[in-house]
Amino acid sequence: MLTLVPETVEQYARRHSTPMGPVFEALEATTKERTDVPQMQVGPLEGAFLRLLVGAIGAKRVLEVGTFTGYSALAMAEALPEDGEVVTLDVDADAVAIAQEHWSRSPHGKKIVSVIGDARETIIGQKGPFDLVFIDADKESYLVYYEAALARLRPGGLIIVDNTLWGGAVLEPKETSDLAIVAFNEHVRADDRVENVLLTVRDGMMLVRKRP
Ligand SMILES: C[S@@+](CC[C@H](N)C(=O)[O-])C[C@H]1O[C@@H](n2cnc3c(N)ncnc32)[C@H](O)[C@@H]1O
């Protein structure tokens, strides 16, 4: 599990947050068994936080960039009304097959619509307005996803962007992905269309609210 706080502190925070439930535990186990990168999954703390945010703003339509094995999509779907939807984009059909196996075991799975393909293209075909957008895919494309998301977001809606502290690499960026996150964070901070806060939850979560 990727975390910037000591693992014991992370575990404590998890134990004192609303649990995610058995389908999520199965999803964690399957992702460990059947993928090489289980750490990509948002996990229980961030999952609970996303679920809470979706419920807190009364979201009905959510867009996600980066489905992987479906943990965050299902977490957000749980907080939606019966006629709500999460549209989730990913290029990896094998990971999404694992997601679909688990979504089908939850009464909230039917609220999730999966779109397979390169999200830099498929996001253009998504019709807004969305109440909340969660961005958690290739870091080099974050600016593309952000601009497309903002154009499709209702005034007052939220964009949440994962991995924006990038394991601390934002402090001394070297790799292309480090530099992309640094450029992204600076772009958001300079953007008058929004207000934002960069939270130190897990690997850094940028919360962005589109000004009404
Ligand atoms: C960090 S994982 C998402 C984790 C997910 N939110 C969860 O909770 O399990 C990132 C995902 O982005 C996807 N991805 C990377 N580049 C992409 C692209 N250009 N278009 C669509 N998906 C992409 C990867 O296939 C991967 O599944």
Side-chain angles (χ1 to χ4, degrees):
M1 176 59 63
L2 192 54
T3 169
L4 291 169
V5 299
E7 187 60 33
T8 47
V9 175
E10 180 84 8
Q11 295 288 352
Y12 180 89
R14 261 192 237 174
R15 286 198 303 278
H16 293 80
S17 301
T18 306
M20 294 304 291
V23 180
F24 293 92
E25 284 163 24
L27 200 38
E28 282 189 90
T30 310
T31 303
K32 276 190 193 123
E33 268 166 40
R34 289 172 44 192
T35 77
D36 297 331
V37 279
Q39 71 279 6
M40 290 216 300
Q41 196 166 56
V42 294
L45 196 62
E46 190 170 349
F49 186 43
L50 289 168
R51 183 173 62 187
L52 189 151
L53 284 176
V54 169
I57 67 161
K60 198 165 171 187
R61 295 196 73 223
V62 171
L63 176 65
E64 174 178 73
V65 187
T67 316
F68 189 44
T69 56
Y71 195 106
S72 46
L74 187 59
M76 295 188 287
E78 281 197 346
L80 290 175
E82 277 305 303
D83 59 345
E85 68 171 355
V86 177
V87 179
T88 180
L89 317 179
D90 206 295
V91 73
D92 182 348
D94 293 336
V96 173
I98 296 174
Q100 274 163 337
E101 281 171 35
H102 291 78
W103 294 340
S104 66
R105 297 186 208 167
S106 161
H108 303 282
K110 62 180 185 302
K111 301 174 196 166
I112 305 174
V113 178
S114 163
V115 179
I116 305 288
D118 189 327
R120 291 169 294 187
E121 291 159 18
T122 58
I123 199 168
I124 304 305
Q126 303 311 314
K127 196 168 159 16
F130 290 95
D131 302 297
L132 184 146
V133 182
F134 178 50
I135 300 174
D136 185 18
D138 48 320
K139 311 310 159 197
E140 291 79 1
S141 306
Y142 267 18
L143 274 175
V144 172
Y145 300 140
Y146 173 77
E147 287 299 331
L150 199 56
R152 289 162 180 75
L153 192 70
R154 70 154 163 88
L158 292 180
I159 302 177
I160 298 141
V161 190
D162 203 12
N163 307 109
T164 41
L165 290 172
W166 205 221
V170 287
L171 301 178
E172 285 184 45
K174 294 185 187 79
E175 308 293 330
T176 313
S177 55
D178 308 346
L179 293 162
I181 295 284
V182 167
F184 174 76
N185 289 340
E186 284 169 10
H187 180 82
V188 172
R189 184 68 289 282
D191 188 349
D192 291 337
R193 298 169 295 176
V194 302
E195 60 176 320
N196 77 294
V197 55
L198 176 44
L199 297 177
T200 53
V201 176
R202 197 168 165 264
D203 190 31
M205 292 179 80
M206 180 72 92
L207 259 59
V208 182
R209 181 170 182 261
K210 185 174 181 175
R211 291 189 194 277

